[in-house]
Amino acid sequence: MTTKNDTTTITLPMLRDRIDAIDAQIQDLINERAACAQKVAEVKLTEQGDQNVVFYRPEREAQVLRRVMERNKGPLGNEEMAKIFRQVMSSCLALERPMRIAFLGPEGTFTQQAALKHFGQSIISAPMAAIDEVFREVESGAANYGVVPVENSTEGVVNHTLDSFRNSRLKICGEVEVRIHHNLLVAPNINPDDVTHIYSHQQSLAQCRAWLDRYWPHAERVAVSSNAEGARLAAEAGKNGKAVAAIAGDIASQLYDLVVVSANIEDHPDNTTRFLIIGNEKVPQSGKDKTSLLVSAKNEPGALYRLLESFERHGVDMTRLETRPSLISKWGYVFYIDFWGHCEDEACHAVIDELRERASEVKVLGSYPVAVL
Ligand SMILES: O=C(O)C(=O)C[C@]1(C(=O)O)C=C[C@@H](O)C=C1
């Protein structure tokens, strides 16, 4: 190989030598960074005392990743570069204190994928059987943080998650989005043409409704607790020669050794789920934040209008408004409101103060950095 205007030949061994030298430099620098993180842990322990030291700092991580993307010159893309730094920080944090992360299990769910996307690979995974168990695990201190699904771009909100915030003191300290690709899966010994039942989580079945109506109108759809559980059941059934299929993602198909009959069967190609990170601490401002509130309106004419008017007047941009039954009075409702900004930003603070005067209850569920990756 020769370069333009240059007669010097660049050989493969030369390039590999150069890569080896760069790798050695990167390795030294990563270890230098890791040693810094260890020092950070010592400072945190001295400043905060042994009890309740907060090692994980979502606002700082978001700032680091945003800066990585802003200064990136390529040829690696911004996201690719941020993913590398995501893992570097994950390793550094594990060196400070390994984080136990509870998520809606079993192993292989999209929620696990979200946990790994948000925290990196260096975590202790704690799969839970249900959303309220994730909340309990974090409340009890058995897990440092939890990850739960909150809304899907095709199917809307995950009611269980919203309802779990009612009686919980946990705070939302982050969000993460995952593109959801579904596959129709069977055990290797099963002929797909024989399939009589299709197992998956009810949300996943709904996200593939049109595809199932078209290609599998006669197979019975069976809702189970998660799509990974559906994959496990399909694998078990296959061992007994039963022609059962599952709808699940790539991780679950690999985990349970299933064969992909059809890939990417979701009805909407941009099918995305948003997950929340829940923890025990409030998160300081990161410079680009969102806030989530739970608001009980007074049962009187114009009550909702007066809540919304406050956002408009202070120029605070709402991103979501959900209504759920209040569970206290029949036909009473509570509202889940998300908006841009941090509860300590002046305008957001003013809105929250006004809502407290106008609503019967306002609970700040958390202010947290907008998802970076
Ligand atoms: O800055 C800190 O507080 C750190 O602990 C360092 C660090 C990092 O590796 O950059 C690690 C973990 C935190 O969640 C945030 C950042």
Side-chain angles (χ1 to χ4, degrees):
M1 181 176 143
T2 49
T3 53
K4 238 183 192 175
N5 311 323
D6 185 1
T7 50
T8 330
T9 305
I10 300 174
T11 63
L12 193 55
M14 282 162 74
L15 287 168
R16 287 189 174 156
D17 283 348
R18 179 78 191 113
I19 284 178
D20 285 344
I22 294 169
D23 284 350
Q25 274 179 302
I26 293 174
Q27 193 171 345
D28 283 346
L29 286 173
I30 290 176
N31 271 326
E32 205 177 313
R33 190 188 193 286
C36 252
Q38 279 179 317
K39 289 249 155 48
V40 168
E42 282 168 27
V43 173
K44 285 178 184 169
L45 278 162
T46 319
E47 282 179 358
Q48 299 172 34
D50 269 7
Q51 299 285 311
N52 303 324
V53 181
V54 183
F55 291 99
Y56 170 58
R57 299 298 300 264
E59 79 289 1
R60 170 69 183 158
E61 294 205 354
Q63 286 163 349
V64 169
L65 294 178
R66 280 178 210 145
R67 215 164 294 151
V68 164
M69 291 172 100
E70 276 161 23
R71 70 170 170 241
N72 190 44
K73 294 195 190 85
L76 280 184
N78 293 354
E79 273 215 8
E80 211 48 49
M81 188 57 92
K83 277 187 202 161
I84 294 170
F85 275 84
R86 164 65 287 157
Q87 182 49 40
V88 169
M89 269 196 292
S90 179
S91 304
C92 288
L93 177 59
L95 208 55
E96 290 187 36
R97 180 67 50 93
M99 292 287 134
R100 188 166 186 271
I101 310 297
F103 59 88
L104 180 62
E107 297 272 347
T109 55
F110 287 112
T111 315
Q112 181 176 32
Q113 202 172 312
L116 294 171
K117 183 174 179 190
H118 187 82
F119 287 99
Q121 304 284 326
S122 306
I123 54 170
I124 302 164
S125 287
M128 298 289 127
I131 286 171
D132 48 328
E133 280 184 34
V134 178
F135 275 78
R136 277 203 296 276
E137 196 77 354
V138 183
E139 277 162 358
S140 72
N144 300 96
Y145 297 91
V147 184
V148 286
V150 67
E151 60 177 323
N152 172 266
S153 59
T154 316
E155 274 307 294
V157 291
V158 180
N159 293 331
H160 263 82
T161 296
L162 290 189
D163 293 345
S164 297
F165 280 111
R166 303 262 177 106
N167 301 315
S168 176
R169 55 174 174 72
L170 293 184
K171 295 280 169 209
I172 303 172
C173 50
E175 61 164 8
V176 56
E177 287 186 5
V178 173
R179 282 289 288 274
I180 306 289
H181 294 297
H182 289 302
N183 308 308
L184 187 75
L185 306 165
V186 292
N189 58 318
I190 298 301
N191 178 353
D193 294 339
D194 300 337
V195 164
T196 54
H197 292 76
I198 300 177
Y199 287 69
S200 195
H201 189 268
Q202 144 207 335
Q203 282 251 347
S204 309
L205 290 169
Q207 288 162 25
C208 306
R209 190 181 294 125
W211 188 88
L212 287 168
D213 287 347
R214 185 157 176 208
Y215 296 105
W216 296 86
H218 304 301
E220 191 176 323
R221 297 167 206 181
V222 184
V224 293
S225 60
S226 72
N227 39 43
E229 174 63 5
R232 192 188 66 78
L233 290 170
E236 281 299 310
K239 284 182 197 153
N240 301 321
K242 286 197 189 140
V244 165
I247 291 177
D250 290 338
I251 299 189
S253 77
Q254 285 157 20
L255 201 64
Y256 296 104
D257 287 330
L258 297 173
V259 173
V260 177
V261 180
S262 303
N264 301 337
I265 61 170
E266 59 279 1
D267 294 336
H268 297 277
D270 56 356
N271 187 28
T272 302
T273 296
R274 181 169 166 255
F275 298 84
L276 296 176
I277 315 302
I278 49 175
N280 286 288
E281 306 95 26
K282 290 182 187 165
V283 180
Q285 287 149 303
S286 79
K288 197 173 174 204
D289 302 288
K290 263 188 200 171
T291 297
S292 299
L293 302 180
L294 172 62
V295 181
S296 307
K298 290 179 181 158
N299 199 355
E300 59 188 29
L304 178 59
Y305 166 76
R306 275 190 293 282
L307 298 182
L308 301 186
E309 186 272 337
S310 186
F311 284 92
E312 206 252 320
R313 192 158 29 77
H314 290 282
V316 173
D317 193 1
M318 261 174 58
T319 56
R320 195 167 72 114
L321 173 67
E322 299 291 346
T323 311
R324 292 284 302 145
S326 78
L327 305 178
I328 296 169
S329 62
K330 188 173 155 193
W331 311 130
Y333 296 96
V334 293
F335 301 104
Y336 288 86
I337 303 175
D338 285 359
F339 54 90
W340 287 103
H342 191 285
C343 60
E344 281 164 21
D345 296 349
E346 209 179 310
C348 299
H349 200 284
V351 170
I352 294 168
D353 277 352
E354 274 181 22
L355 297 190
R356 288 196 202 282
E357 286 163 20
R358 297 173 183 201
S360 45
E361 193 203 339
V362 177
K363 188 172 171 186
V364 180
L365 301 180
S367 289
Y368 47 93
V370 173
V372 183
L373 277 171

